[in-house]
Amino acid sequence: MWYIVSTTLNPQPTMHNILITITLLLMSLSCGAVTLPRLFRSGMVLQRQQPLPVWGTASAGETVTVTFRGKTYTATADGDGKWMLTLPKQKPGGPFIMQIGDQTLTDVMVGDVWMVSGQSNIDTNIERVYPQYAADIDAYSNADIRLFRVNTDPSTERKDDILPTSWKPLTKENAWHFSAIGYFLGQKMHAETGVPQGIIQSSLGGSPIQAWIDIDSLRHFPADYYTDYMLYTDKEYVDYQSKANQRANDVWSDVMNQTDPGYGKYEKADFDDTAWPVHDQYDNNAWAKHNGRPIIGSMWLRQHVTIDAAHAGKPATLLLGTLHDMDYTYVNGKQVGVTYYQYPPRRYTIPTGLLREGDNVIAVRIVCKSGMANFYKDKPHEIVFADGTRQPISTQWRTQKGSLIMQGPLGGKLNTNNQASVLYNGMIHPLAPYAMQGVIWYQGESNTGRPDEYGALLNKLTGCWRTLWQRPDMPFCVVQLANHMAPTDNPQESGWAALREQQRLTADADPYTSLAVAIDLGEASDIHPLRKREVTERCVLAFQNAVFGKKNKLSPEPVAARRVDGTVVITMDQPLRPCDDLKEFEVKGADGKFHNATARTDGDKVVVTPRQSLPAGSVTVRHAWKNNPARLNLYGKNNLPASPFQMEAR
């Protein structure tokens, strides 16, 4: 603040008045405004029953006062202007007011704080899973649950704060683009404890685990992560390459549009498509190839649907499942939706007045930049009206090729989000040491190409985060990768299975890390399965044990295996649901190959009978060792599926 001193007796400046003005100005400069991290905002949730670090910046040497729940605490800013103090443990409750320097934070709650982190299965939001739980989501809001989303900010330098964001109470609107797992975690934990809940989401789709680990922890890791990171510290290179890639993408799109004979034509309702060939949407070899090669460019699909008089003019939702990879979708010539990448389900609103009685036209322009265009199976394809009427649409489309570029966008490979440490620097480091109860970590899909190193990386991640928070016992719940891709009845070597085993072994060896098994909650055709509430319920069981001292049985896991009279007997850590025909067991034979085996339960044991001769000495047995072990039926008496595993029996 600038202070101006004036007097009516002597309007001309005097030495005395000048000295007073200078003194007050210096005083104002020495008492600069306190700056707080963006975590400290009105509406925040503070962790109960833990010491509470509060920090920020001010002028060097300034005394900062914090007042909370009738008590006052002080800290002095150091030479760099940084200050921190620790409030004593607090009982749950609220709302409260916290005064920090000249800032007043209102609606402050004290309860439990959790973080959910990882890649796109944490990113998967309430909008995405809404059809799975529509009635429950529509009926639920809770001002005692606060949501805090950390915005994407990769950096090769450790940051002290995150990008602008805020705490929001849990409502359908506020949760619409928030992590579904985070949403259900807050809901379940509030029901469990009755205290306010704060959920921090710090995640990014497609990110590998190394992006979330401190670079110092990776310096001597036997991989190329550290050297790649050092290359990306050249900001000028990154800036030039990013601009070049964006320009290449823009040019590619412009050329595609210019060379597409249907651009601005094929979507129109009155376009004559009678000469177009008809193909099934799942026969992409017929409509998504040219001269035997997958089309890189655009393809057009059209079909006619008949709407009755009762629904003509009424608003509706068009469900087109999931496509690879971009689409522009039209109804009667009007664009009703566009999706720029392959994973989101296409749920497009058809506005009032667009549908007409009788013939209507749905046109889809698919743009493929890599791979091969396709529709994913087992997804709904229909028109849904407000009165609940569901009108299926055909899998048969009239098809026509568009632009045949046959080459993906130009430009070099540059992904700053995926380099080692960059998400740790920008999205984890600034959050510490904000007090919290525990962390859900759901990630691994992007590391299945190098699964054998995942266990070491997971140990690095939990270790460096616990060091950052100065909490060596901070609980983690690791969600094991769900089943995905086409199932098979035959033994299969699988990077997904190998990574699941790394997750299991790492959790078993760490007394403060639990495993939530999701091997029966996945989908063959969607890497982002929708049953996020069920995944969260398994995480809650783990946190009840780790944080609140309960003794829940989690998913069954093996503790020992031995050869007994031509069989392999596996002892599990709990009683099993009786079954005389267990599936998804394999044994390595004398030929060095894995073969299917028969198996049955016997109390807390699994008796596996090989179908082929075995080698002398130890023998390897494995369970659910596939991308998608769809026939898995080994469950504990607690009705949780057994984890996939591989082990030696002697």
Side-chain angles (χ1 to χ4, degrees):
M1 180 180 296
W2 291 82
Y3 292 88
I4 300 177
V5 178
S6 64
T7 173
T8 57
L9 297 178
N10 184 4
Q12 298 301 317
T14 67
M15 183 60 67
H16 177 70
N17 285 344
I18 291 173
L19 289 174
I20 291 176
T21 302
I22 293 173
T23 301
L24 292 173
L25 176 59
L26 291 174
M27 289 174 60
S28 72
L29 293 175
S30 67
C31 297
V34 171
T35 301
L36 298 175
R38 291 190 172 92
L39 272 166
F40 290 91
R41 293 293 185 270
S42 294
M44 68 182 177
V45 180
L46 299 174
Q47 178 59 51
R48 61 171 169 157
Q49 302 302 340
Q50 288 186 22
L52 295 176
V54 180
W55 71 95
T57 61
S59 297
E62 181 178 352
T63 298
V64 178
T65 300
V66 176
T67 302
F68 186 59
R69 299 178 84 167
K71 295 186 178 180
T72 299
Y73 313 86
T74 60
T76 301
D78 64 16
D80 295 324
K82 296 181 179 180
W83 60 269
M84 178 181 288
L85 56 81
T86 302
L87 304 185
K89 297 178 181 179
Q90 302 287 321
K91 293 181 179 180
F96 303 113
I97 294 174
M98 177 178 282
Q99 187 72 35
I100 306 179
D102 57 356
Q103 299 193 38
T104 302
L105 309 184
T106 61
D107 194 27
V108 176
M109 310 296 284
V110 177
D112 289 327
V113 180
W114 311 88
M115 182 158 66
V116 295
S117 187
Q119 58 180 110
S120 53
N121 271 300
I122 287 292
D123 269 357
T124 301
N125 55 35
I126 285 296
E127 185 274 334
R128 182 78 168 270
V129 306
Y130 175 72
Q132 189 86 5
Y133 314 103
D136 292 344
I137 292 171
D138 285 341
Y140 191 79
S141 63
N142 192 330
D144 281 349
I145 302 174
R146 309 292 171 82
L147 311 176
F148 187 87
R149 173 69 184 265
V150 178
N151 291 314
T152 302
D153 189 21
S155 173
T156 53
E157 298 177 355
R158 291 178 189 150
K159 294 198 171 183
D160 292 328
D161 204 359
I162 55 177
L163 294 176
T165 186
S166 63
W167 291 91
K168 298 179 180 179
L170 189 154
T171 63
K172 179 181 174 181
E173 180 183 26
N174 289 339
W176 201 238
H177 296 295
F178 193 82
S179 167
I181 282 182
Y183 172 98
F184 290 122
L185 179 64
Q187 185 183 63
K188 296 294 180 183
M189 282 303 189
H190 186 268
E192 170 78 14
T193 65
V195 306
Q197 301 290 312
I199 309 297
I200 299 172
Q201 177 189 350
S202 185
S203 57
L204 182 62
S207 58
I209 189 172
Q210 62 268 20
W212 298 96
I213 301 173
D214 177 18
I215 194 62
D216 289 340
S217 298
L218 297 172
R219 185 181 296 269
H220 303 295
F221 196 81
D224 51 2
Y225 303 132
Y226 183 77
T227 54
D228 284 355
Y229 171 87
M230 294 303 296
L231 290 174
Y232 276 71
T233 60
D234 187 327
K235 295 181 180 180
E236 187 175 12
Y237 159 73
V238 171
D239 183 56
Y240 284 150
Q241 187 67 64
S242 297
K243 290 179 179 178
N245 287 354
Q246 183 60 55
R247 180 58 183 161
N249 185 76
D250 292 344
V251 170
W252 186 90
S253 297
D254 288 344
V255 171
M256 180 190 64
N257 292 337
Q258 293 169 17
T259 58
D260 187 338
Y263 190 66
K265 300 176 183 178
Y266 291 170
E267 76 275 13
K268 296 186 181 303
D270 58 359
F271 177 80
D272 183 4
D273 58 18
T274 54
W276 287 15
V278 177
H279 295 110
D280 188 279
Q281 66 188 27
Y282 299 121
D283 186 13
N284 59 336
N285 281 306
W287 58 266
K289 281 187 174 181
H290 179 72
N291 291 337
R293 295 171 55 194
I295 293 174
I296 302 301
S298 60
M299 292 136 279
W300 289 88
L301 296 86
R302 288 170 57 95
Q303 69 168 274
H304 296 253
V305 297
T306 301
I307 301 297
D308 60 26
H311 293 98
K314 300 293 177 63
T317 301
L318 174 62
L319 305 182
L320 281 180
T322 303
L323 312 175
H324 176 81
D325 54 295
M326 296 173 55
D327 75 282
Y328 300 83
T329 297
Y330 307 83
V331 173
N332 291 333
K334 180 179 177 60
Q335 183 173 304
V336 295
V338 57
T339 302
Y340 296 104
Y341 66 111
Q342 62 179 317
Y343 294 119
R346 274 56 170 177
R347 297 197 291 260
Y348 297 145
T349 298
I350 302 175
T352 300
L354 185 57
L355 291 174
R356 57 202 180 198
E357 183 179 0
D359 185 63
N360 295 261
V361 176
I362 301 172
V364 181
R365 186 193 191 213
I366 298 178
V367 175
C368 189
K369 295 184 176 181
S370 64
M372 186 172 178
N374 69 281
F375 285 78
Y376 288 91
K377 292 184 177 181
D378 303 320
K379 295 293 182 181
H381 296 84
E382 58 190 358
I383 299 173
V384 182
F385 293 94
D387 64 2
T389 301
R390 310 179 83 90
Q391 179 170 333
I393 62 175
S394 176
T395 63
Q396 306 298 309
W397 297 80
R398 296 183 181 276
T399 68
Q400 188 63 265
K401 297 175 178 62
S403 176
L404 306 177
I405 296 183
M406 306 304 289
Q407 176 177 303
L410 308 173
K413 184 177 180 181
L414 182 77
N415 192 335
T416 55
N417 294 345
N418 285 356
Q419 298 307 310
S421 195
V422 294
L423 301 180
Y424 171 89
N425 289 339
M427 299 172 66
I428 296 298
H429 184 268
L431 303 178
Y434 196 84
M436 63 180 66
Q437 282 282 36
V439 178
I440 290 179
W441 175 254
Y442 191 168
Q443 190 278 336
E445 298 90 342
S446 291
N447 290 87
T448 54
R450 294 163 67 167
D452 292 342
E453 66 188 26
Y454 192 83
L457 288 168
L458 186 54
N459 274 323
K460 293 287 188 183
L461 180 134
T462 57
C464 78
W465 288 22
R466 286 167 176 156
T467 298
L468 181 64
W469 263 268
Q470 298 183 22
R471 282 194 61 200
D473 60 350
M474 185 162 70
F476 278 77
C477 180
V478 173
V479 180
Q480 194 181 53
L481 292 187
N483 51 308
H484 178 51
M485 293 178 279
T488 177
D489 292 339
N490 300 316
Q492 178 186 56
E493 297 307 316
S494 164
W496 281 62
L499 191 138
R500 290 186 194 112
E501 181 72 344
Q502 292 289 306
Q503 292 174 317
R504 183 184 74 85
L505 294 174
T506 302
D508 282 353
D510 184 342
Y512 306 112
T513 297
S514 305
L515 187 72
V517 175
I519 196 62
D520 59 339
L521 299 177
E523 298 180 30
S525 62
D526 196 339
I527 200 171
H528 307 123
L530 300 183
R531 297 174 64 187
K532 292 294 189 277
R533 180 167 66 187
E534 291 81 349
V535 171
T536 309
E537 287 169 347
R538 296 177 186 181
C539 295
V540 168
L541 290 175
F543 282 140
Q544 286 174 341
N545 292 351
V547 177
F548 302 121
K550 292 195 174 183
K551 302 293 183 183
N552 296 316
K553 289 291 186 182
L554 305 181
S555 286
E557 292 195 41
V559 294
R562 59 193 179 93
R563 298 179 64 166
V564 180
D565 298 330
T567 67
V568 175
V569 178
I570 304 168
T571 301
M572 306 295 285
D573 63 356
Q574 60 186 277
L576 303 169
R577 197 163 73 188
C579 182
D580 290 330
D581 186 23
L582 292 175
K583 305 297 184 183
E584 305 292 6
F585 277 90
E586 303 164 9
V587 176
K588 182 183 284 189
D591 60 359
K593 299 178 180 179
F594 280 96
H595 302 267
N596 289 332
T598 60
R600 61 180 175 83
T601 61
D602 181 11
D604 65 348
K605 295 178 173 56
V606 176
V607 180
V608 183
T609 303
R611 298 175 180 174
Q612 75 288 336
S613 59
L614 298 179
S618 64
V619 62
T620 305
V621 60
R622 63 190 190 186
H623 168 248
W625 197 271
K626 296 173 181 174
N627 297 329
N628 185 0
R631 300 181 302 157
L632 177 147
N633 60 347
L634 177 59
Y635 282 76
K637 283 192 173 181
N638 59 1
N639 292 319
L640 293 179
S643 170
F645 62 83
Q646 176 174 291
M647 63 190 315
E648 299 293 313
R650 297 184 180 277

